[in-house]
Amino acid sequence: MPRLVDHEQRRREITTAARRVIAHGGLDAATFQTVAAEAGMSVRLIQYYFGTKREFLVATFLAVVAEAGQRFEGPLAAMGANPTPREVIRTILTAVLPLDPQRHEDALVLAAFHAAALTGGVVGPEDTIGPARYLFPIFAQQLRIHRSLESSTPAEELDAQLLVLGGSGITQVVLTGNNTPDQALELLDRLLDRFLSV
Amino acid sequence: MPRLVDHEQRRREITTAARRVIAHGGLDAATFQTVAAEAGMSVRLIQYYFGTKREFLVATFLAVVAEAGQRFEGPLAAMGANPTPREVIRTILTAVLPLDPQRHEDALVLAAFHAAALTGGVVGPEDTIGPARYLFPIFAQQLRIHRSLESSTPAEELDAQLLVLGGSGITQVVLTGNNTPDQALELLDRLLDRFLSV
């Protein structure tokens, strides 16, 4: 059977199981044993696809990030040639807000990676900063379009970072249960008002 | 010796040791054993002052929060009768940004409590939401003063939350080492520009 199974499919099954384990128990809960149990596979099979714990953790992080990207790529493409900067930024940020069970689980996984990066160990900040770094220039560019600026100024760089951090902050208060998804969207729209009003 | 020792002093020594342990290893690292070792005390003495793990964890969280409060109370009092809303909000937020080693350690402790609250267990979101809830009405009131509003509107409530979340987001990128304290202050000032400009 194994040689007929698509390798990418198998790896995805493993990272999907790892996501569930991490969402419930944090990064410390994810071991070859717990992920194997969650995936209904043997530890040896997990080890065959991912040689080290670090390898399956990084793959799990990247799987969450890739799905978040897929979540906003479709809507962005559907907007046509000239979407408003506000629409672009809002579409990207809502793709990562925990507004449904899957995004909630994904946000818990990303929060667990952030927490683990703070105490050091198998993963560090250099493993988890990628997605934010990817968004900064996109948001800065949208802000320049909105403000009819020809070239980059420090203000747009700062605002781009603050929008990403704001989205992350809104995510956290939904994860703790202190805000509902509807309240999160209200906060997001207010955040966009403040950064895209002038 | 024990009966001559001030009880509050002893409890503070224990929570100070717990803070160091949590800052380095997260909440899971804090046990009666590790905190006793860090404090140079016996496990029995820690248990005498704090009956349960939950008790010393909550006391540790509150100790960090109380010190953050003390950090901005003095500067706020020194501002006299009519500080500008921007000064008030900036003073409070800089008191919790990780701009020096102690605040860095404190911010790591608060981040560890947040992470632990997400996975559930000994502490939950209801144990950690207090400080943010305390700041919301203070910031909303300052925004109303700044905007010359007589009564509360939803916009100020949302902005107050976004300012707290923004401060928290800026804190996280300093903790990960992706931003320096100087860059954090630059982000903070830009955040205040966006919320206190109109």
Side-chain angles (χ1 to χ4, degrees):
Chain A
M1 185 188 81
R3 67 195 171 101
L4 294 176
V5 173
D6 176 81
H7 277 233
E8 272 313 304
Q9 166 65 18
R10 194 60 112 185
R11 286 172 64 93
R12 198 154 45 243
E13 283 170 33
I14 296 169
T15 56
T16 300
R19 285 155 75 166
R20 287 195 296 268
V21 170
I22 293 168
H24 284 95
L27 226 60
D28 285 344
T31 64
F32 281 115
Q33 287 72 26
T34 56
V35 172
E38 178 73 27
M41 297 177 191
S42 69
V43 168
R44 286 184 67 113
L45 194 61
I46 311 260
Q47 286 170 330
Y48 170 77
Y49 282 99
F50 300 97
T52 65
K53 180 174 174 180
R54 175 178 162 75
E55 224 180 299
F56 83 68
L57 287 178
V58 170
T60 301
F61 180 80
L62 293 177
V64 171
V65 171
E67 271 187 34
Q70 286 158 11
R71 215 171 276 133
F72 60 69
E73 274 167 17
L76 282 186
M79 281 177 190
N82 290 302
T84 68
R86 184 179 177 125
E87 282 177 315
V88 172
I89 295 173
R90 191 181 194 280
T91 298
I92 293 173
L93 287 178
T94 49
V96 291
L97 284 184
L99 304 178
D100 60 28
Q102 185 58 56
R103 281 178 283 175
H104 192 99
E105 183 186 281
D106 289 354
L108 282 172
V109 173
L110 297 182
F113 272 92
H114 172 70
L118 292 185
T119 49
V122 182
V123 295
E126 67 285 359
D127 296 311
T128 58
I129 187 61
R133 286 242 176 89
Y134 169 80
L135 291 180
F136 293 158
I138 295 174
F139 284 12
Q141 167 68 1
Q142 293 301 317
L143 288 164
R144 279 194 293 276
I145 294 170
H146 180 78
R147 294 169 189 171
S148 306
L149 299 168
E150 293 293 323
S151 59
S152 177
T153 77
E156 280 67 50
E157 310 298 325
L158 292 172
D159 286 356
Q161 287 186 60
L162 289 169
L163 282 167
V164 173
L165 296 179
S168 170
I170 295 169
T171 294
Q172 301 313 307
V173 288
V174 178
L175 294 184
T176 56
N178 293 116
N179 285 55
T180 64
D182 280 350
Q183 289 171 325
L185 282 177
E186 204 179 4
L187 282 168
L188 175 62
D189 282 322
R190 182 68 189 169
L191 181 72
L192 296 176
D193 285 346
R194 302 311 299 179
F195 283 87
L196 290 152
S197 55
V198 202
Chain B
M1 186 190 77
R3 69 195 170 100
L4 293 177
V5 173
D6 175 81
H7 276 233
E8 271 313 303
Q9 166 65 19
R10 194 58 112 183
R11 286 173 64 93
R12 197 156 44 244
E13 283 171 32
I14 296 169
T15 57
T16 299
R19 285 156 73 166
R20 285 195 297 268
V21 170
I22 294 167
H24 284 94
L27 226 60
D28 285 345
T31 63
F32 280 116
Q33 286 73 26
T34 57
V35 172
E38 178 73 28
M41 298 178 191
S42 69
V43 168
R44 288 185 66 114
L45 194 61
I46 311 262
Q47 286 170 328
Y48 170 76
Y49 284 99
F50 300 97
T52 65
K53 181 175 173 180
R54 175 177 162 77
E55 225 180 300
F56 83 67
L57 287 178
V58 171
T60 300
F61 181 80
L62 294 177
V64 171
V65 171
E67 270 187 35
Q70 287 159 12
R71 214 171 278 133
F72 60 70
E73 274 168 17
L76 282 186
M79 282 177 191
N82 289 303
T84 68
R86 184 178 176 124
E87 283 176 315
V88 171
I89 294 172
R90 192 180 193 281
T91 299
I92 293 173
L93 286 179
T94 49
V96 292
L97 284 183
L99 304 178
D100 61 27
Q102 185 59 57
R103 280 178 284 175
H104 193 99
E105 183 186 280
D106 288 356
L108 282 173
V109 173
L110 297 182
F113 272 92
H114 172 69
L118 292 186
T119 49
V122 182
V123 295
E126 67 286 358
D127 296 310
T128 58
I129 186 62
R133 286 242 175 90
Y134 169 80
L135 291 181
F136 293 159
I138 295 173
F139 284 11
Q141 167 68 1
Q142 293 301 317
L143 289 165
R144 280 194 292 276
I145 294 171
H146 179 78
R147 294 169 189 172
S148 305
L149 299 169
E150 293 293 323
S151 60
S152 178
T153 77
E156 281 65 50
E157 310 298 326
L158 292 172
D159 286 355
Q161 286 185 62
L162 289 169
L163 282 166
V164 173
L165 295 179
S168 169
I170 296 168
T171 294
Q172 301 314 306
V173 288
V174 178
L175 294 184
T176 56
N178 293 115
N179 285 56
T180 64
D182 280 350
Q183 288 171 326
L185 282 177
E186 205 179 2
L187 281 168
L188 176 62
D189 282 322
R190 182 69 190 168
L191 181 72
L192 296 176
D193 286 346
R194 301 312 299 179
F195 283 87
L196 291 150
S197 54
V198 202

